[in-house]
Amino acid sequence: MAPSTVVVTIEKPENPSQKHNILDSSAFLEKQKAVSTKQFTWVLLLKVNRVFACLSWLPMALRAMFLSLKKRIARSDLTDEEPKTRGRLYKFIKVFLGLSILALVMEVVAHYKNWNLNLYQPWEVQGLVQWCYMVWLTFRVDYIAPAAIMMSNFCVVLFLIQSFDRLVLCVGCFWIKYKKIKPTIAEDAFDIEDPSSFPMVLIQIPMCNEREVYEQAIASACQMDWPRDRLLIQVLDDSDDINLQNLIKDEVSLWHQKGVNIIYRHRLIRTGYKAGNLKSAMGCDYVKDYEFVAIFDADFTPNSDYLKLTVPHFKGNPELGLVQARWSFVNKDENLLTRLQNINLCFHFEVEQQVNGVFLNFFGFNGTAGVWRIKALEESGGWLERTTVEDMDIAVRAHLNGWKMIFLNDVRVLCELPESYETYKKQQHRWHSGPMQLFRLCLPAILTSKISIWKKSNLIFLFFLLRKLILPFYSFTLFCIILPLTMFLPEAELPLWVICYIPIFMSFLNILPSPKSFPFLVPYLLFENTMSVTKFNAMVSGLFQLGSSYEWVVTKKTGRSSESDLLAYAERESMSANEEKILRRNSESGLELLSKLKEQEVVAPKKKKKNGIYRKELALAFLLLTAAARSFLSAHGVHFYFLLFQGLSFLAVGLDLIGEQMG
C-alpha cells in the first residue's frame, strides 16, 4: 500500500514594509485627487477673477481713450486745406456718411425684426419704417445697384491695368538685377593728375528759411572732391528772415576764407518759388563758363565723391542731359510714418526710376541730387515758373528735345523724410497736383513733338494718365467710396480678389526693394488707401486748377545728421569752439548781430507746435466703420475686417496719431 501523499504549502511571509507602501500609495492617490480638484477649482476661480478684472478695466480704458481723444481734439488745430477745396469733397463725404448711417439704422431694424420683404405683398406691409425699407430695397435694386456695378467694374478695370503696369516694372527690375545692367564710366574719363581735364561744374543749393539744415548743406557741397578752380558753389537763399540771411552769409564767408569758390545770392522778391530761384541764378554771366550744374536741396548731404561718380558719365555721351542719383534717408526709422514713406520711395527709385532709365532713357527728374548738362537746360527752355513741379517740367521738355537720362541706383545722397503728417500731407498735395497742371500744359507740345509714337504714348498714357491720374482716382473711388457703398448693395458686392488678394500681392511687390519693411506690409496697404483722399483731392485740384494747386509750401526740415556728417563737420566745429566764433561783417560787429538775434527771440517767441485734426479723414473713418457695421450684420468676413481696419487707419490719421507727436 502506497504511503499517503502529504501536500505542503509554504506561504511567503508578508513584508510589512511593502504593505505599508501599498497603503501609502493608495492614500497618496486619494490625496492627489483631492489636491487636483482643489487646484482645478482655484484655477477656475483665478480665470474668473481675471475675466472680471478685464471687464472692470475695459470701461476705464475706454473712458481714458475717450478723454485722450477729446483732449487731442481740444488742443489740436484744424489743418485741412482752405474751405473752397475742402468744401466740395468734404460735403460730399458728409452727405454720404449721413445716408450710410440712416441706411444702417434701417438694416439693423430689419435684421432684428427678421424682415424678408421678398415674401411680402405691398398691402401686407405694416408700419412706416417697414414701408420705407421696402421702398429703399426697390429703389436700390432698380436704380442704385446698376450704376454702382458699372462704376465698380470701371474702377476694377483701371485697378487691373495699373497692377499690370506695376508688375511689368517689377519684372523689368528683376531683369536688370539678373543681367547686372547698370551705367558704366569710361576708364579714361578724366586725368586725375591733370586738374585741367576736369570739366567746369556749378553746384546750386536753393533754400528758403532752412535754419535747421543750411550749415550741413553748405559744408557737404564745399567738401566735394573736385578741383577747386573747376568748381563754383551758389547758395541761392530765398529766406525772408534777415537774421537767418546774415547767418547764411557768415557761413558762406567762412568757407570762402578757406579757399572755396562759393557765392551767396539772395532775391528780394521770391517769384516762381524754386523755379524762379534757379532761373535767376542761371542768368548770371559767369554761368556760361560752366558745362554742368549739380542741384541739391538744403536737406541733402552728398558724399565728397558724388561728382566723380556722376559727371564722368557725360564723357563720350553727347546726348546725355541728366544723371540722377538715388535718395537715402537718415531718419527712415524715426516713426511709423517715415517707415511707410521709405517703402514708397525705395520702390520709386529701385523700380520705377531705374527701369525707366535703363529701357526708356527717360524719367521724372527728382528736383535734387542730379547733374544737368547746362546745354540741355538751355535748349529745353530753362526753368519755367508755370507749375509747382518744375523738376518734372524740365525733364519732360528735355525728353521732347531728344535728351537722354541716366539713373544711378548705387549712388546715394542722404536726405530727410517728413516726420509729421501735416508736412507729409502738404508735400504729397504738391507732388500730385503739379503733374496734372503740367499735363494740361504739355499735352499740345507732346502731340506736336518730333519724338516717336511709342515715346508719345508712353508720356501720355503711362507717365501722366496711368501713374499720375488713374492711380489716385481708382484708389479713392474704389476703396473709399464704392466698397463701403456695396455693403448696402449686395447686388454690387466686390469680390475678394479685388479687396484682398491683389492689393496684398501688389503691396508685397512694393516692399521688395526694402525687405526690412516686411513687418509693415498690412500698415503700408492701409496707409496707402488712407492717403488716397489727399492724392485724389490734389489730382482734381491740379487738373481743373482748383484751390491751392499753385501753392508751394516748403517741406519742414529737422536738421538730422548721420555719423559721417558729424565726423565731416568736426574740423569746422573745433574751429568755432572758441569765444571769437562770431564772424564780423563789414556793416556791423558780431556783438551787434548777437544782440539782434536775442531781441528777435524775445519779440517773436517760437510758436508751440500742435498736432492737427483732419476732417476729411475723420469723416471717411466714420463712413468705413459704418460700412463695417453693416458688413458685420451680413457676416461678410474679409469685407468686415478690411473695412474695420481701414476705418481705424483713417481714424488714426484723422486724429494725427501717426508721425511726429507734438508735446
Side-chain angles (χ1 to χ4, degrees):
M1 181 176 180
S4 59
T5 304
V6 179
V7 178
V8 179
T9 303
I10 302 176
E11 295 183 359
K12 186 176 181 181
E14 186 175 357
N15 190 350
S17 61
Q18 185 176 2
K19 183 178 181 181
H20 180 69
N21 289 338
I22 294 173
L23 293 175
D24 286 349
S25 61
S26 60
F28 176 75
L29 289 175
E30 292 179 0
K31 186 176 181 180
Q32 182 109 10
K33 289 180 180 179
V35 172
S36 299
T37 306
K38 290 182 179 180
Q39 286 180 346
F40 181 71
T41 305
W42 278 109
V43 169
L44 287 180
L45 290 175
L46 286 174
K47 290 187 176 296
V48 171
N49 181 48
R50 289 179 181 178
V51 170
F52 279 107
C54 291
L55 292 176
S56 62
W57 171 83
L58 187 59
M60 297 176 60
L62 292 175
R63 180 176 178 272
M65 183 177 68
F66 175 76
L67 291 176
S68 63
L69 293 179
K70 183 179 178 181
K71 185 177 179 181
R72 164 59 59 86
I73 294 174
R75 299 180 61 181
S76 300
D77 296 328
L78 292 176
T79 52
D80 273 339
E81 298 83 7
E82 70 274 10
K84 288 184 180 180
T85 306
R86 187 184 65 218
R88 296 182 179 92
L89 184 58
Y90 181 56
K91 288 180 180 178
F92 169 76
I93 297 173
K94 285 201 302 182
V95 171
F96 192 15
L97 174 61
L99 294 175
S100 299
I101 293 175
L102 181 61
L104 177 63
V105 172
M106 295 178 62
E107 294 287 353
V108 170
V109 173
H111 177 77
Y112 283 103
K113 290 193 174 183
N114 296 321
W115 287 347
N116 187 0
L117 299 185
N118 293 328
L119 303 179
Y120 284 79
Q121 297 297 328
W123 56 84
E124 297 177 341
V125 177
Q126 299 177 355
L128 179 62
V129 177
Q130 194 172 7
W131 180 83
C132 292
Y133 186 60
M134 186 185 72
V135 172
W136 155 246
L137 289 182
T138 306
F139 182 77
R140 183 185 77 185
V141 173
D142 294 340
Y143 299 100
I144 300 180
I149 292 173
M150 184 183 303
M151 190 65 183
S152 63
N153 290 338
F154 176 68
C155 289
V156 167
V157 170
L158 296 180
F159 172 54
L160 293 176
I161 293 173
Q162 197 275 334
S163 300
F164 179 73
D165 172 65
R166 184 144 300 195
L167 181 62
V168 170
L169 288 174
C170 291
V171 171
C173 182
F174 289 138
W175 180 260
I176 291 172
K177 289 187 175 298
Y178 175 72
K179 292 293 185 178
K180 298 180 180 179
I181 302 173
K182 66 177 183 177
T184 57
I185 301 175
E187 297 181 357
D188 58 343
F190 305 119
D191 186 359
I192 300 178
E193 299 180 356
D194 183 14
S196 61
S197 65
F198 286 73
M200 300 288 285
V201 177
L202 175 68
I203 294 181
Q204 293 179 332
I205 310 175
M207 59 179 65
C208 179
N209 298 324
E210 309 280 5
R211 181 182 293 271
E212 295 81 7
V213 294
Y214 75 90
E215 289 182 291
Q216 66 186 40
I218 295 174
S220 60
C222 292
Q223 294 173 357
M224 203 68 70
D225 185 11
W226 200 258
R228 290 194 173 183
D229 59 338
R230 317 292 291 177
L231 180 68
L232 173 65
I233 301 173
Q234 285 181 321
V235 179
L236 311 177
D237 182 26
D238 266 0
S239 304
D240 53 11
D241 185 347
I242 297 178
N243 295 320
L244 180 57
Q245 295 174 21
N246 293 331
L247 292 174
I248 297 175
K249 286 181 183 177
D250 292 340
E251 187 71 17
V252 170
S253 299
L254 174 64
W255 286 101
H256 185 71
Q257 292 173 8
K258 294 182 179 181
V260 177
N261 193 10
I262 184 171
I263 296 175
Y264 174 86
R265 282 180 54 85
H266 176 72
R267 295 191 304 160
L268 297 177
I269 302 176
R270 190 190 171 212
T271 58
Y273 305 112
K274 181 180 176 181
N277 198 359
L278 295 173
K279 181 179 179 180
S280 174
M282 293 298 293
C284 297
D285 294 335
Y286 53 79
V287 173
K288 65 179 182 295
D289 298 328
Y290 292 83
E291 188 176 357
F292 305 104
V293 55
I295 303 172
F296 300 102
D297 284 350
D299 61 318
F300 280 71
T301 54
N303 293 330
S304 59
D305 60 349
Y306 173 83
L307 292 179
K308 289 188 174 180
L309 295 175
T310 54
V311 176
H313 287 277
F314 291 95
K315 183 72 176 294
N317 196 354
E319 296 181 348
L320 183 60
L322 169 67
V323 175
Q324 172 72 58
R326 179 174 175 170
W327 298 0
S328 183
F329 310 106
V330 70
N331 61 337
K332 62 183 179 181
D333 297 324
E334 183 65 23
N335 53 46
L336 178 60
L337 178 61
T338 57
R339 293 176 185 272
L340 299 179
Q341 291 179 69
N342 180 60
I343 296 173
N344 250 342
L345 291 172
C346 283
F347 181 85
H348 169 69
F349 287 109
E350 184 90 12
V351 180
E352 294 178 341
Q353 297 292 76
Q354 185 173 211
V355 170
N356 289 327
V358 169
F359 295 104
L360 301 176
N361 294 121
F362 166 71
F363 48 83
F365 174 45
N366 294 116
T368 179
V371 181
W372 276 96
R373 189 189 297 272
I374 295 180
K375 183 180 178 182
L377 288 177
E378 294 174 346
E379 291 186 357
S380 302
W383 298 104
L384 298 182
E385 307 166 12
R386 56 183 182 173
T387 69
T388 58
V389 284
E390 74 293 327
D391 44 9
M392 185 181 295
D393 189 357
I394 187 63
V396 170
R397 286 184 282 117
H399 182 57
L400 295 179
N401 280 274
W403 291 98
K404 295 181 179 180
M405 305 172 190
I406 285 179
F407 177 76
L408 302 179
N409 190 54
D410 53 349
V411 179
R412 307 193 178 199
V413 180
L414 274 178
C415 62
E416 290 185 17
L417 290 167
E419 296 183 6
S420 68
Y421 179 70
E422 178 186 2
T423 305
Y424 179 64
K425 182 183 176 77
K426 292 178 179 178
Q427 181 197 70
Q428 292 300 304
H429 187 275
R430 176 166 58 86
W431 284 6
H432 287 82
S433 65
M436 290 298 96
Q437 304 168 19
L438 183 61
F439 178 64
R440 293 175 56 257
L441 296 171
C442 282
L443 184 58
I446 295 173
L447 295 175
T448 58
S449 64
K450 297 180 180 179
I451 61 176
S452 64
I453 297 295
W454 157 244
K455 291 184 178 180
K456 290 181 181 180
S457 302
N458 173 69
L459 267 177
I460 295 175
F461 296 107
L462 292 182
F463 186 76
F464 279 114
L465 290 181
L466 183 59
R467 298 167 189 167
K468 303 298 187 296
L469 189 148
I470 290 177
L471 176 58
F473 171 78
Y474 88 75
S475 297
F476 173 73
T477 307
L478 185 62
F479 295 107
C480 299
I481 301 298
I482 294 179
L483 178 59
L485 178 63
T486 57
M487 294 300 99
F488 301 93
L489 303 173
E491 301 83 3
E493 183 176 324
L494 293 174
L496 287 180
W497 57 268
V498 173
I499 66 171
C500 181
Y501 303 142
I502 293 183
I504 289 179
F505 177 69
M506 301 314 298
S507 298
F508 175 79
L509 293 181
N510 280 18
I511 288 183
L512 284 179
S514 53
K516 293 183 179 180
S517 302
F518 272 106
F520 302 96
L521 175 66
V522 174
Y524 171 74
L525 172 61
L526 297 175
F527 181 69
E528 280 300 289
N529 291 335
T530 305
M531 285 304 300
S532 64
V533 60
T534 298
K535 297 176 181 179
F536 174 81
N537 188 41
M539 180 269 293
V540 172
S541 65
L543 187 62
F544 299 103
Q545 304 183 45
L546 304 174
S548 58
S549 58
Y550 287 92
E551 180 184 1
W552 179 291
V553 180
V554 178
T555 305
K556 295 179 182 179
K557 316 296 192 311
T558 60
R560 299 185 185 277
S561 300
S562 63
E563 295 181 0
S564 59
D565 297 326
L566 297 176
L567 292 174
Y569 304 149
E571 179 184 358
R572 180 171 56 84
E573 291 297 329
S574 62
M575 291 182 60
S576 61
N578 50 41
E579 295 181 356
E580 297 180 357
K581 61 183 177 181
I582 302 176
L583 298 175
R584 299 178 179 272
R585 302 194 315 275
N586 295 329
S587 59
E588 59 182 346
S589 66
L591 292 177
E592 292 173 350
L593 175 61
L594 182 60
S595 63
K596 290 183 86 174
L597 289 174
K598 290 183 177 180
E599 290 176 3
Q600 182 73 12
E601 292 178 357
V602 174
V603 173
K606 191 174 181 180
K607 185 179 179 181
K608 188 176 181 180
K609 296 181 180 179
K610 295 180 180 179
N611 288 95
I613 293 294
Y614 302 95
R615 293 181 177 181
K616 288 194 294 289
E617 284 79 355
L618 287 178
L620 283 169
F622 295 127
L623 172 63
L624 291 167
L625 292 176
T626 302
R630 176 62 184 87
S631 177
F632 180 75
L633 291 178
S634 302
H636 279 148
V638 175
H639 293 75
F640 165 72
Y641 288 110
F642 180 85
L643 288 166
L644 175 64
F645 288 113
Q646 190 64 71
L648 294 176
S649 175
F650 268 103
L651 183 63
V653 171
L655 295 174
D656 202 4
L657 298 176
I658 185 173
E660 183 183 13
Q661 300 300 302
M662 310 300 179

